[in-house]
Amino acid sequence: RRLRYVFSFYSIIDLFAILPYYLALALPGGWVDAHDEYFRMLRLLRLLKLDKYVPSISLIDDVFRLKRQALTVTCFAAGSLWVIFSGLLYVTEYQDDFNEIDEVPVYGCDEDCTMMDRFSNYFASAVYTCVHLTGDYPIVTYSFWARITCVVMVVAAVGVVAIPSGIVASGFMEIVEERNKAQGVEQRGAAGDDWYEWRLAELQNEDPPASVFGPTVDIWQRKVNAFLNGDMSVVPHTHVNPHTFERGSRFFRIFMMTLIITNVIAVLVETVPQIDRFVGNERGNFFDVFEAFSIFFFTLEYALRLFSAKKNLEALYSPWTYATTFFGIVDFLSTAPWYIEQILIACGMSENSDTATIFRVFRIFRILQLEDFLVGFRKIDNVFRASKDVLKATGLMALIIWVGCGALFYIFEQGNANFRECDVSIPLRTSNSTGCYDFDSTAECVSYYGKGMCEQTSFVNMPDSLYYVAVFLGGEWGVVDFTWGGRFVCMFLCVIGIALYSIPVGTLFESFGSVIGMDGEEEEDQEDEEDD
């Protein structure tokens, strides 16, 4: 059993994650030590160990087996179109010396570069064609016949090439659902019809629990709940005139809705320098006073909703349920940043610092509080719960693809001279290999000429690389002139990465549609009952 583990998937991951560290210790100054920053990236392989707890990557082979026949046919069609259009773009662009592009020293052009430098061979054309077949066109300065080719590609090929990605996405969702059923995961109702709806239906005809603090508190909880939600049918016996109570409740709701809207407007106009200077960017200015006034009422409402949650059916008669649902989280986020900011200011943080600005802009989320009054994302928390099984698996896989490809792009592209800029005093090429494009990496150029003389514009570090990959996974390619290593990663993302990454988003859309459909059916049923 131990020997079996040694040759298992997880054992190999563990080995690659720790071996470089011990090799660097055992052989100081050696090849491994010299390339330490690259080998450190192997630690990211530890992400794959999460597959042991939330199966995702290990399900891919099951997906390919399940959809083997459909994938064979569609992949052949997509591959054939890729080969054909790669050849057509190459034929129409390999002599295009009219359309100018930026310098691409990695491709052998330092100055006055044109499209023919990009499409110097068929394989280079295949990379750009692969990007176009995903529906994105970061390059549009084509010759006339290449443009005709691109038009035909958009009409006849982009949709066909997307079919295998859709098949993989649907197969993955089927596998996850089958595994859940095999493991005895309870499937209750349709998508969106999750535990919340079931629990809500169970409590529909039940009275709210009595308060543990006695009948007086119980009565006040009922009053507060009725006041906040405008539900006069649950108003307990009170000496207050019902019409006065109803008008007060309506006025409070209108007041809170107006306060939310004016808060959002205040956040927007506060960012305009002229208005900020006119008001006076000093402590105690109009915006600060208005913010303190708003926080008082937002905090009051949040506290009252927690207090009365025991009598609120939509909160399932539970303060914890209210606090962890969409409404409760939004109410908390509307007040907590202000208190955190005040604590930081008391600890010495400058009110004009970037951190303080971030806390102020955080108030924009108060627009979501309108959800208490207007129907918008009322079912969003149910959508997430309905999709949680697929989201756990596909979310982990999307994270692994994002981080893994980000690391690969960083390794391959951090020294890419196509993304390097140098001071005008530095020659592009020299006979002794000290020109801007002569160095293997931008770090070597900086080391030779000094800080600020050479600059890498893209894939500077891992966060920068992760940003670019996040954009790529969204189907947008802001930069495409990669090294060959980066080109292979690019083609992987185009062929399979974007499809796998998009599964969580597709799952949410499907569940959201199901939830909206259920609401429509409920409304129709209610209308039919009224007609009867």
Side-chain angles (χ1 to χ4, degrees), residues 127-291:
V127 177
Y128 297 116
T129 305
C130 190
V131 171
H132 292 335
L133 287 173
T134 65
D136 189 39
Y137 276 77
I139 303 171
V140 292
T141 54
Y142 284 114
S143 61
F144 174 78
W145 288 109
R147 292 183 179 188
I148 297 297
T149 301
C150 288
V151 170
V152 176
M153 196 189 314
V154 170
V155 174
V158 171
V160 176
V161 173
I163 293 175
S165 299
I167 292 174
V168 171
S170 112
F172 202 97
M173 294 177 67
E174 288 180 29
I175 290 291
V176 171
E177 291 174 0
E178 288 178 6
R179 286 176 69 96
N180 286 339
K181 290 179 181 178
Q183 294 172 0
V185 177
E186 187 178 8
Q187 303 292 327
R188 305 179 71 179
D193 194 14
D194 62 357
W195 71 269
Y196 178 86
E197 277 76 18
W198 285 88
R199 184 61 179 152
L200 186 65
E202 291 172 357
L203 297 173
Q204 196 74 45
N205 299 319
E206 293 186 15
D207 293 329
S211 173
V212 296
F213 298 104
T216 303
V217 174
D218 194 270
I219 292 174
W220 275 105
Q221 286 179 329
R222 290 175 181 271
K223 288 181 179 180
V224 171
N225 178 57
F227 183 81
L228 292 175
N229 298 306
D231 188 0
M232 297 301 107
S233 63
V234 297
V235 179
H237 176 71
T238 174
H239 297 295
V240 179
N241 187 302
H243 296 293
T244 304
F245 190 91
E246 184 178 359
R247 285 196 296 269
S249 174
R250 186 184 298 114
F251 172 80
F252 181 77
R253 290 166 62 81
I254 294 174
F255 170 75
M256 290 302 299
M257 186 165 62
T258 305
L259 188 63
I260 292 167
I261 295 172
T262 52
N263 262 262
V264 173
I265 295 174
V267 172
L268 299 180
V269 299
E270 190 180 7
T271 61
V272 180
Q274 294 86 345
I275 296 177
D276 195 37
R277 285 195 297 268
F278 176 78
V279 172
N281 193 12
E282 300 292 337
R283 185 172 178 82
N285 62 31
F286 169 78
F287 288 122
D288 287 345
V289 173
F290 179 66
E291 173 66 2

Side-chain angles (χ1 to χ4, degrees), residues 29-58:
W31 184 80
V32 174
D33 201 13
H35 297 81
D36 179 62
E37 63 177 318
Y38 298 113
F39 283 105
R40 286 184 180 182
M41 293 295 164
L42 290 175
R43 291 179 296 178
L44 294 175
L45 290 173
R46 293 169 185 168
L47 271 175
L48 297 176
K49 294 182 65 176
L50 292 175
D51 189 83
K52 185 187 302 182
Y53 309 100
V54 183
S56 55
I57 297 294
S58 58

Side-chain angles (χ1 to χ4, degrees), residues 477-494:
W477 294 84
V479 291
V480 287
D481 295 319
F482 305 119
T483 61
W484 271 109
R487 285 175 169 181
F488 282 117
V489 181
C490 167
M491 287 189 287
F492 166 77
L493 289 180
C494 291

Side-chain angles (χ1 to χ4, degrees), residues 362-525:
F362 217 97
R363 290 174 290 172
I364 200 72
F365 287 103
R366 288 174 187 169
I367 194 172
L368 297 176
Q369 285 186 295
L370 289 175
E371 178 63 20
D372 282 332
F373 310 99
L374 306 172
V375 176
F377 293 97
R378 185 168 295 275
K379 292 289 184 178
I380 194 69
D381 55 330
N382 294 344
V383 170
F384 276 99
R385 290 193 183 99
S387 310
K388 63 182 178 182
D389 293 324
V390 177
L391 283 178
K392 281 193 295 186
T394 56
L396 174 59
M397 184 170 57
L399 175 65
I400 291 172
I401 291 173
W402 177 42
V403 176
C405 291
L408 291 174
F409 266 120
Y410 172 65
I411 291 171
F412 293 134
E413 303 301 319
Q414 65 168 328
N416 187 344
N418 291 343
F419 308 134
R420 185 182 305 162
E421 295 179 355
C422 297
D423 189 80
V424 293
S425 62
I426 301 177
L428 299 181
R429 301 278 186 183
T430 63
S431 57
N432 59 348
S433 299
T434 56
C436 178
Y437 299 144
D438 289 324
F439 294 98
D440 292 333
S441 69
T442 305
E444 292 180 9
C445 182
V446 172
S447 177
Y448 186 86
Y449 285 105
K451 188 175 181 180
M453 301 297 287
C454 309
E455 181 182 4
Q456 188 77 7
T457 58
S458 303
F459 304 99
V460 180
N461 48 47
M462 267 299 290
D464 189 49
S465 181
L466 288 173
Y467 162 74
Y468 278 105
V469 174
V471 175
F472 298 159
L473 287 169
E476 298 291 334
W477 294 84
V479 291
V480 287
D481 295 319
F482 305 119
T483 61
W484 271 109
R487 285 175 169 181
F488 282 117
V489 181
C490 167
M491 287 189 287
F492 166 77
L493 289 180
C494 291
V495 173
I496 193 69
I498 292 176
L500 296 178
Y501 187 83
S502 63
I503 294 175
V505 178
T507 302
L508 287 176
F509 273 111
E510 181 181 352
S511 297
F512 200 82
S514 299
V515 169
I516 293 175
M518 288 169 56
D519 289 345
E521 292 175 2
E522 291 176 0
E523 290 177 2
E524 290 179 2
D525 292 340

